[in-house]
Structures are given as structure tokens and as C-alpha cells.
Amino acid sequence: MRKPKVTRMGFALCLGCFIMVILFFNSSLKPGSEPLSERSSGHKSRRSPLQTLYDGDQVESGVQAIHQGRREVLEEACRSYTRKRRVLIPEDLKHVIVDDQHGLLYCYVPKVACTNWKRVLMVLTGVSGSLRDPLSIPANEAHVSGNLRTLSEYSTSQINQRLRSYLKFVFVREPFERLVSAYRNKFTRSYNTAFHKRYGTKIVRRHRSDPQPEAMERGNDVSFEEFVYYLVDPATLREEPFNEHWERVHSLCHPCLIHYDVVGKYETLEQDSQYVLRLAGVENQVSFPSSSKSTRTTGDMAAQFFNNISPFYQKKLYNLYRMDFLLFNYSIPAYLKFR
């Protein structure tokens, strides 16, 4: 009669040990548990910008709704207007700046406040040294190659890991305002001799009837009309890619291949920049610089530049930049005459 009792006691002991083992492993695998690397280093874990975005309890619901709407418009446009999806290659990622310390990926677009965003990232990554005010960093220093790492410099596995877990953001602008801004900056400023030589001389030779020898030599008096002729000329893109200052955003940042979590807009620059800094948890460490509105290229200014462009070339130019209008929900400008 004693044997069954001993057996029952042994079974109960084994069952209890088994339950303890399950509880131990369950607690070890709990989602909220601290990563091993952080426990061993003694640092308190913090939520990533991506977690903050999708948890949604740190940001006003109205702001969240605006950015959710932009993501949905972009995703729908990608489904509607892109036929073939391809695999990203390192060449596609040369404009994506990496901040490993804060889990950020920023695709910079020239003429959309990229100088100031590079300054901010130099402060956040420590590249700026003791300089904590972004505006104290010279503009030319912000564009020095190598100051900030780009995603193209990482291995395939490192790229994939960052694309999955980092907050990805891009800032865009009304396409023709950006184009006019690029023209004004690169072709009407006397100090931009490198652009005059590199592009201006070519434009004058190809798209000006009976050019003067001095204009062909210096290339410093290109008209906006000649610039448009250059852009829509099929030979231009056959020879080489567009310069980044007038390249289309979808060709620089590949928004149908990279799922951007935040699509900021130049029209709401300060608000959207503050939103990104708040998601990253650094709004008390650095402020996005306020921009000067006195020299900013506006819609009215763009309309003046398009006055001398015929409807035929307006249409060709719109077709060239059409995807940027569609992907980022910009309407066809009212001043265009081809409709």
C-alpha cells in the first residue's frame, strides 16, 4: 500500500519542477524584458523612435492623424502608379543618413531644408563636437562627405536591420517650387561658378541660338526657360543622371521601396521637424533652426518663372515630375496653362 503513495509524491515533485522551469523561461522571454546588451551594460532601456510613433501615446492624436494620412496617400499612390517592384541596392541608399545613437534614418532632399537637418544630425551624432547650436555649424561643413554616414556604407544585413527597426523620415516640397529654388540658387548666384561651368556652359551651347563666346565659356547667364529645355531634353538623362538639386524625390529616396514612417513637408517644416525630434526623444537636446522666409521661393514666385514657359514645355516638365506630385499629394499648380 505504501508504493502508490511514494509514486504519487515523486510525480508531484516532478510536476512542480516542470512548472517552475516553464515559469522561468516565460519570464525570460517576456516582450518587455530588457535586452541582454543593455542589462549587461547597466543602461536603462528606452523606447525607440519607431516604438514611440506606433504606440502613439507620446504625440497629439491630431498630429498622428496628419502623418498617418500622408503615409496612406503615399502607399496608395505607390500601388496605383508603380508596376514593378525591385530590390534595393546600395546605390539607392546614398541619400539616407544614419543616426545609430537615436535609431533614425533620414533621406535628404536638396532644397528641402537638408542643410539644417544635416546640422541637427551632426549635433545628435556628436560630429559637431562642442557645438550644440545647429546654426553655429557652417553650411559648407554640413555637406562635407564623410561627416555623416549613409546607409549605403553598411553591409546588407546591417541595412536590413536598420530599415526594419529605425524611424525612417523624409522631407518633401511642392515640386516646381523646389525646382525654381534650385534654379535661383545654382544659376542666378554669382558665387556658384562650379555649377555655371559644369551645367551652365552645356545648357548655353545646346539650348541657346547663336550664343556668344563669353556665355559659352562662363555659363553664368542661363535663363529659366533654357534650364527647362535642358531638363526635358531626352539627351540629358541619356548622358548622366540629374544633379541631386533637381533630381526627382522619388529617384533620390525611393519611397515606394522604403516605407517612410514620417513624410515631412516644407510647407509645415517647423511643425514636422519638431514632431520628428519629439519621436526621437531629443526635443530638449536640440532645436530645429527657424528658416528665413524673406528669401524663400514661394508659389507666387514660381508662377512668375513659369510665365515665359509655353504650355507645351509646361506639360513636358510636369510629366517629368509627375510622380512627385502624385506620391506626395501635390495638386497641379493653378498657373500652368496646359490643362
Side-chain angles (χ1 to χ4, degrees):
M1 294 296 294
R2 292 174 59 85
K3 191 172 182 181
K5 185 176 181 180
V6 171
T7 302
R8 286 197 299 272
M9 289 177 63
F11 176 76
L13 182 62
C14 290
L15 181 62
C17 291
F18 180 68
I19 291 172
M20 289 177 66
V21 168
I22 290 176
L23 290 173
F24 172 78
F25 278 103
N26 188 49
S27 65
S28 298
L29 296 173
K30 193 175 180 181
S33 62
E34 212 173 1
L36 178 63
S37 60
E38 293 184 0
R39 287 204 307 269
S40 60
S41 63
H43 294 304
K44 185 179 179 181
S45 65
R46 64 179 181 84
R47 294 199 306 176
S48 72
L50 200 59
Q51 290 171 323
T52 302
L53 172 68
Y54 290 106
D55 285 353
D57 60 350
Q58 300 292 310
V59 184
E60 298 172 21
S61 58
V63 177
Q64 289 276 50
I66 289 170
H67 289 276
Q68 175 65 25
R70 290 177 185 174
R71 288 194 297 271
E72 289 173 357
V73 167
L74 176 56
E75 289 167 8
E76 178 59 32
C78 287
R79 283 194 295 269
S80 300
Y81 299 107
T82 56
R83 296 175 183 174
K84 293 182 179 179
R85 291 185 64 84
R86 61 176 179 80
V87 177
L88 282 167
I89 58 174
E91 184 72 20
D92 298 327
L93 305 172
K94 288 187 173 182
H95 271 245
V96 181
I97 294 173
V98 182
D99 176 359
D100 281 322
Q101 296 179 40
H102 301 94
L104 300 173
L105 295 178
Y106 163 58
C107 186
Y108 73 91
V109 179
K111 309 312 299 175
V112 193
C114 76
T115 301
N116 281 340
W117 261 113
K118 287 181 180 181
R119 286 167 161 159
V120 167
L121 289 168
M122 287 175 71
V123 171
L124 290 178
T125 57
V127 173
S128 63
S130 61
L131 299 177
R132 306 306 299 168
D133 176 11
L135 286 179
S136 64
I137 302 171
N140 64 315
E141 186 70 18
H143 298 295
V144 171
S145 178
N147 273 347
L148 295 164
R149 293 192 70 183
T150 64
L151 197 55
S152 61
E153 300 172 38
Y154 291 76
S155 69
T156 301
S157 62
Q158 291 171 328
I159 289 170
N160 290 332
Q161 186 271 328
R162 283 159 177 77
L163 286 172
R164 283 195 307 270
S165 60
Y166 284 16
L167 182 84
K168 300 168 289 296
F169 68 101
V170 60
F171 275 76
V172 301
R173 183 177 186 178
E174 201 280 337
F176 285 171
E177 287 182 25
R178 175 175 171 250
L179 188 66
V180 170
S181 178
Y183 166 76
R184 291 178 65 215
N185 181 252
K186 301 307 176 187
F187 294 105
T188 70
R189 305 285 192 267
S190 59
Y191 55 79
N192 265 323
T193 54
F195 270 82
H196 301 161
K197 282 283 188 181
R198 173 74 174 80
Y199 298 101
T201 55
K202 182 185 295 187
I203 293 171
V204 168
R205 285 197 304 270
R206 288 189 177 179
H207 301 289
R208 182 177 299 179
S209 58
D210 194 24
Q212 296 298 308
E214 184 182 3
M216 288 192 292
E217 173 65 25
R218 300 178 66 180
N220 63 344
D221 63 347
V222 171
S223 70
F224 184 68
E225 192 173 7
E226 290 167 338
F227 180 51
V228 170
Y229 295 159
Y230 163 78
L231 292 172
V232 301
D233 182 355
T236 300
L237 275 176
R238 279 201 302 267
E239 287 183 355
E240 60 181 349
F242 279 162
N243 179 275
E244 63 179 12
H245 291 84
W246 47 85
E247 179 61 281
R248 287 72 53 91
V249 176
H250 74 271
S251 295
L252 292 175
C253 295
H254 308 282
C256 293
L257 299 176
I258 298 173
H259 177 83
Y260 286 98
D261 305 293
V262 176
V263 178
K265 293 202 169 187
Y266 192 73
E267 295 79 12
T268 51
L269 176 62
E270 293 184 14
Q271 175 186 319
D272 294 345
S273 297
Q274 182 63 22
Y275 176 61
V276 172
L277 295 177
R278 197 156 66 247
L279 289 174
V282 296
E283 69 272 29
N284 295 324
Q285 298 176 35
V286 64
S287 297
F288 190 83
S290 297
S291 59
S292 169
K293 296 184 179 180
S294 60
T295 59
R296 179 181 290 187
T297 300
T298 64
D300 290 341
M301 194 179 296
Q304 293 174 15
F305 278 86
F306 274 85
N307 272 340
N308 295 326
I309 308 300
S310 71
F312 175 78
Y313 281 102
Q314 287 182 4
K315 177 69 170 176
K316 289 176 76 72
L317 192 67
Y318 174 77
N319 287 339
L320 192 61
Y321 288 87
R322 176 172 174 266
M323 281 301 293
D324 280 0
F325 279 96
L326 295 172
L327 293 173
F328 304 115
N329 202 26
Y330 287 108
S331 302
I332 299 175
Y335 55 76
L336 295 184
K337 306 166 190 170
F338 66 79
R339 293 178 295 178

